[in-house]
């Protein structure tokens, strides 16, 4: 899905698209940080984001862990009859 989204948005220069891509990239970096701390921190520090102080913390290590969306967390569980 991510590959198709990136391909579709290549020619879209809207701010909303850019913010979506940055949001997903930051969450991927947060998830990878425990395994690859140095490279993820370097990428995080060099993100091309306007108003870095507003959107990014001082370092990736102190960012909050990504949370699932509420709609996904509150879905009723399907009971299977086995």
């Amino acid at each position: 899905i991510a590959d198709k989204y990136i391909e579709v948005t290549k020619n879209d220069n809207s701010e909303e698209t850019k913010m979506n891509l940055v949001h997903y990239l930051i969450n991927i970096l947060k998830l990878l940080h425990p395994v690859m701390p140095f490279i993820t921190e370097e990428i995080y520090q060099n993100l091309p984001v306007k108003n870095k102080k507003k959107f990014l913390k001082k370092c990736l290590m102190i960012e909050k862990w990504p949370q699932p969306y509420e709609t996904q967390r509150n879905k009723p569980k399907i009971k299977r009859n086995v």
Side-chain angles (χ1 to χ4, degrees):
I1 295 173
D3 182 42
K4 289 187 180 192
Y5 183 75
I6 292 170
E7 288 297 324
V8 169
T9 59
K10 273 187 179 176
N11 296 325
D12 185 5
N13 288 329
S14 70
E15 285 298 314
E16 183 180 355
T17 302
K18 290 177 185 177
M19 291 305 295
N20 279 337
L21 291 171
V22 168
H23 171 75
Y24 293 128
L25 178 60
I26 290 172
N27 281 330
I28 290 169
L29 291 174
K30 289 177 189 179
L31 293 171
L32 287 173
H33 191 69
V35 181
M36 303 182 324
F38 299 108
I39 188 77
T40 54
E41 187 66 44
E42 188 68 26
I43 294 169
Y44 181 81
Q45 293 299 325
N46 292 306
L47 284 175
V49 177
K50 295 177 184 175
N51 299 326
K52 280 190 177 185
K53 291 183 179 183
K54 182 178 178 183
F55 293 108
L56 303 178
K57 303 248 185 217
K58 187 175 180 180
C59 67
L60 183 58
M61 186 170 36
I62 59 175
E63 284 274 0
K64 290 185 178 182
W65 194 253
Q67 296 294 318
Y69 292 113
E70 288 294 324
T71 56
Q72 293 173 351
R73 262 196 285 176
N74 296 327
K75 284 185 179 176
K77 294 182 181 177
I78 299 172
K79 293 183 180 180
R80 296 183 182 195
N81 295 328
V82 180

